[in-house]
Amino acid sequence: MTERQPDDRRPQRDDFATDRTESLARLDALRRAAFHRVRLPPNAEQLARRRSLLGFAKWALPGLALVLLSSIAAWPEISHLVNQNRAALREMARLRVESGNMEEAVYRGLDAHNHLYMITARITHQEGPDRVDLTEPVADIQLSGDSWAHIRADRGVYMQHEQTLDLDDHVVLYRDDGTLMNGPSADLDLKQDVIASRDWVHAEGPFGTQDAQGYFLDQHAGIMQFTGPGLTVRNDDNGPPSQAARLRTEGTRTEK
């Protein structure tokens, strides 16, 4: 049986080394050098630099705290503005602009008497800097005495600078006094509150019914005129005769 020889190639750990005199002496020398190191007092330049740093920190830290507090106080307003911008972007995304076309457009203005009017349309097409072609236009007009008028059609042309609106096909006008007018066309002078047409018209209202070949309506002056031959049926035609009519009839019978 052979005796096993120690393997000199096996790794050795330094912390378990039997002879540590040299390493301990080196550590002791480093420790002594650290104890004997002399710390020099700062010079004037170093003191000035430290004072400047302390002065900067004295003002910078409260300023930073004030900025943070201000941002916290202003955050609701900032959030409101951000939400408004998002709503505006959503509205712009809803409006599609393609080759001068725009959907759900709104035009607002004032007439010569500072009355508001508003024009909306399902589709608009810009024809140059002034003319706008409208599909299914609707005009809401404020009149004197807090009254209003509503007029719509299938097609229209709005001249922005002249403040005129020409309507075609199934023009329907309704006023809050109960007047309803139907016709194939109508021309509106929005600045002067005037509506006119040379085409036939059928009107209904508190006065009765009226069929004519045209009409002129000055809404500010309160004038309604029908032109051309027509048929008029007043509401009192089917009721009992008025006192003037009875007196006229009795006078005719007395003369006979």
Side-chain angles (χ1 to χ4, degrees), residues 31 54 73 115 118 125 150 161 182 215 245:
R31 185 166 54 251
L54 289 175
H115 295 154
M118 182 177 66
H125 179 75
H150 176 90
H161 296 165
N182 295 270
Y215 65 91

Side-chain angles (χ1 to χ4, degrees), residues 19-211:
D19 188 8
R20 302 180 59 191
T21 305
E22 183 179 355
S23 62
L24 291 175
R26 186 168 59 253
L27 293 175
D28 185 64
L30 293 174
R31 185 166 54 251
R32 288 176 182 276
F35 284 142
H36 289 83
R37 185 178 301 168
V38 178
R39 298 187 63 183
L40 299 176
N43 54 26
E45 182 180 358
Q46 292 175 345
L47 289 175
R49 186 182 302 110
R50 292 181 181 180
R51 290 194 191 98
S52 62
L53 290 176
L54 289 175
F56 176 77
K58 179 181 178 180
W59 292 101
L61 294 178
L64 180 61
L66 180 62
V67 170
L68 293 177
L69 292 175
S70 300
S71 63
I72 293 174
W75 178 250
E77 186 66 23
I78 296 174
S79 178
H80 178 67
L81 293 176
V82 170
N83 292 331
Q84 279 188 338
N85 291 334
R86 290 177 179 174
L89 290 176
R90 285 195 298 267
E91 186 67 18
M92 289 299 296
R94 190 174 64 87
L95 298 175
R96 295 202 308 266
V97 180
E98 298 176 357
S99 302
N101 292 341
M102 185 165 55
E103 295 183 357
E104 306 297 337
V106 179
Y107 301 91
R108 293 182 175 90
L110 293 174
D111 61 12
H113 310 286
N114 290 326
H115 295 154
L116 179 67
Y117 67 84
M118 182 177 66
I119 301 172
T120 60
R122 186 174 62 84
I123 300 175
T124 62
H125 179 75
Q126 189 77 33
E127 291 282 355
D130 188 20
R131 173 172 172 168
V132 182
D133 293 340
L134 310 175
T135 301
E136 298 182 9
V138 177
D140 293 289
I141 305 171
Q142 181 183 5
L143 306 177
S144 301
D146 294 331
S147 59
W148 52 268
H150 176 90
I151 185 168
R152 57 182 173 85
D154 292 345
R155 295 181 296 108
V157 176
Y158 176 47
M159 306 298 290
Q160 301 181 73
H161 296 165
E162 294 80 358
Q163 292 182 275
T164 61
L165 179 62
D166 299 333
L167 301 177
D168 290 308
D169 295 338
H170 301 96
V171 179
V172 179
L173 168 66
Y174 179 76
R175 297 197 315 184
D176 61 346
D177 60 357
T179 301
L180 178 66
M181 304 174 68
N182 295 270
S185 67
D187 299 327
L188 283 74
D189 187 341
L190 298 170
K191 189 174 183 179
Q192 301 298 330
D193 282 341
V194 173
I195 304 176
S197 176
R198 294 184 179 180
D199 293 322
W200 65 266
V201 62
H202 175 76
E204 299 179 4
F207 59 88
T209 62
Q210 175 72 51
D211 292 285

